[in-house]
């Protein structure tokens, strides 16, 4: 399904990462993929995982450093000569911003969360577009806390609201180049990022009981939706936020 397609995956930390589930689903369908990592501590882990897939590339990319972003896309251009899809699965907020009350969010935490979690989508979309010469698909990850208040999600909710809105504005701009931009709103998953969050266990239990499917979503299910969004099966979908949350978001009480 993705034979002759080239993808670029942002946000793999380990095998539980949503980004890795996306890459594994797409790799199985024949895509070649480049992986970015942030900081030396993730280099080995990402190189090991990427090594499981044929003809992959691993490049450093801290999105707060424009030179690294430019170099990462230059490396993809040099190796593959093109890009068909991009998976953006990165977010960050200082730990203390994800507990207590939103009203105490500092200027610094706000700036960092919005820069890394929301602005980076625009940044990588601009860099990706010239390589997407035959059209393309960009997929990002969001969460329900963008729309409704979820205790402790705080500034990440504000950042995800900006990310979802950015998805629509980017879709409008890039549509003329046949580049589609969509977001997946995933239910909570026990990844490395989520692990650092207080009361993640009880959140997972609560969502698992309340959702129509009476369970939590898996990273593999998010990966399969990313596969759909990067494939031609979704050729008429852009600017959309698709829920992959076992139906949790449709419930009132
Ligand atoms: C970040 C973290 C972004 C955790 C994230 C995230 N997007 C979803 N999660 C999981 C989560 C976190 C909280 C939550 C519900 C789900 C941690 C590092 C920074 C980026 O609140 C109930 C806080």
């Amino acid at each position: 399904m993705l034979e002759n397609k080239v993808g670029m995956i942002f946000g793999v930390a380990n095998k539980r990462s949503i980004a890795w589930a996306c890459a594994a689903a797409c790799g199985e369908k024949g895509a070649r993929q480049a992986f970015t990592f942030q900081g030396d501590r993730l280099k080995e882990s990402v190189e090991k995982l990427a090594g499981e897939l044929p003809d992959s590339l691993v490049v450093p990319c801290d999105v707060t450093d424009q030179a690294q972003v430019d170099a990462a896309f230059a490396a993809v251009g040099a190796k593959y000569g093109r890009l068909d899809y991009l998976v953006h699965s990165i977010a960050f907020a200082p730990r203390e911003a994800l507990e207590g009350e939103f009203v105490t969010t500092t200027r610094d935490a706000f700036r960092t969360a919005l820069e890394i979690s929301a602005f980076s989508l625009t940044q990588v979309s601009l860099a990706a577009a010239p390589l997407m010469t035959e059209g393309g698909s960009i997929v990002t990850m969001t969460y329900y806390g963008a729309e409704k208040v979820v205790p402790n999600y705080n500034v990440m909710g504000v950042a995800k609201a900006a990310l979802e809105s950015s998805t629509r504005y980017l879709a409008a701009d890039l549509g003329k180049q046949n580049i589609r931009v969509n977001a997946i709103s995933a239910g909570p998953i026990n990844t490395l990022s989520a692990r650092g969050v207080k009361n993640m266990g009880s959140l997972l239990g609560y969502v698992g009981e309340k959702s129509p499917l009476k369970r939590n979503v898996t990273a593999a299910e998010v990966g399969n939706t990313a596969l759909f969004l990067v494939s031609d099966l979704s050729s008429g979908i852009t600017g959309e936020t698709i829920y992959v949350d076992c139906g949790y978001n449709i419930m009132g009480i």
Side-chain angles (χ1 to χ4, degrees), residues 19-190:
W20 176 246
C22 296
C26 295
E28 209 168 288
K29 299 296 178 189
R32 293 177 292 162
Q33 299 175 103
F35 296 84
T36 70
F37 65 91
Q38 184 269 316
D40 280 340
R41 79 212 140 75
L42 291 173
K43 185 172 192 230
E44 247 182 75
S45 160
V46 176
E47 279 178 346
K48 183 165 170 265
L49 286 167
E52 294 178 14
L53 297 172
D55 208 13
S56 59
L57 173 70
V58 178
V59 285
C61 187
D62 179 334
V63 293
T64 64
D65 180 355
Q66 185 62 43
Q68 284 191 36
V69 175
D70 294 342
F73 282 90
V76 167
K79 181 171 168 76
Y80 304 108
R82 57 182 279 138
L83 188 62
D84 299 288
Y85 66 89
L86 184 155
V87 174
H88 173 278
S89 185
I90 57 183
F92 180 75
R95 196 187 176 125
E96 58 281 8
L98 294 179
E99 45 187 66
E101 293 196 327
F102 172 70
V103 71
T104 61
T105 306
T106 64
R107 184 185 304 269
D108 233 45
F110 190 98
R111 216 199 304 256
T112 300
L114 272 283
E115 181 185 2
I116 298 177
S117 315
F119 174 69
S120 64
L121 180 68
T122 299
Q123 184 183 24
V124 300
S125 295
L126 184 68
L131 288 171
M132 292 180 161
T133 48
E134 284 159 57
S137 174
I138 296 170
V139 178
T140 188
M141 299 299 151
T142 185
Y143 176 61
Y144 188 61
E147 295 178 54
K148 296 282 195 255
V149 173
V150 174
N152 300 318
Y153 202 59
N154 297 351
V155 73
M156 272 311 304
V158 175
K160 292 300 191 185
L163 181 73
E164 291 179 14
S165 186
S166 299
T167 299
R168 293 185 282 272
Y169 279 91
L170 291 167
D173 284 349
L174 300 178
K176 53 187 171 299
Q177 296 168 65
N178 197 29
I179 298 171
R180 299 182 292 109
V181 189
N182 292 289
I184 293 173
S185 188
I189 300 174
N190 209 354

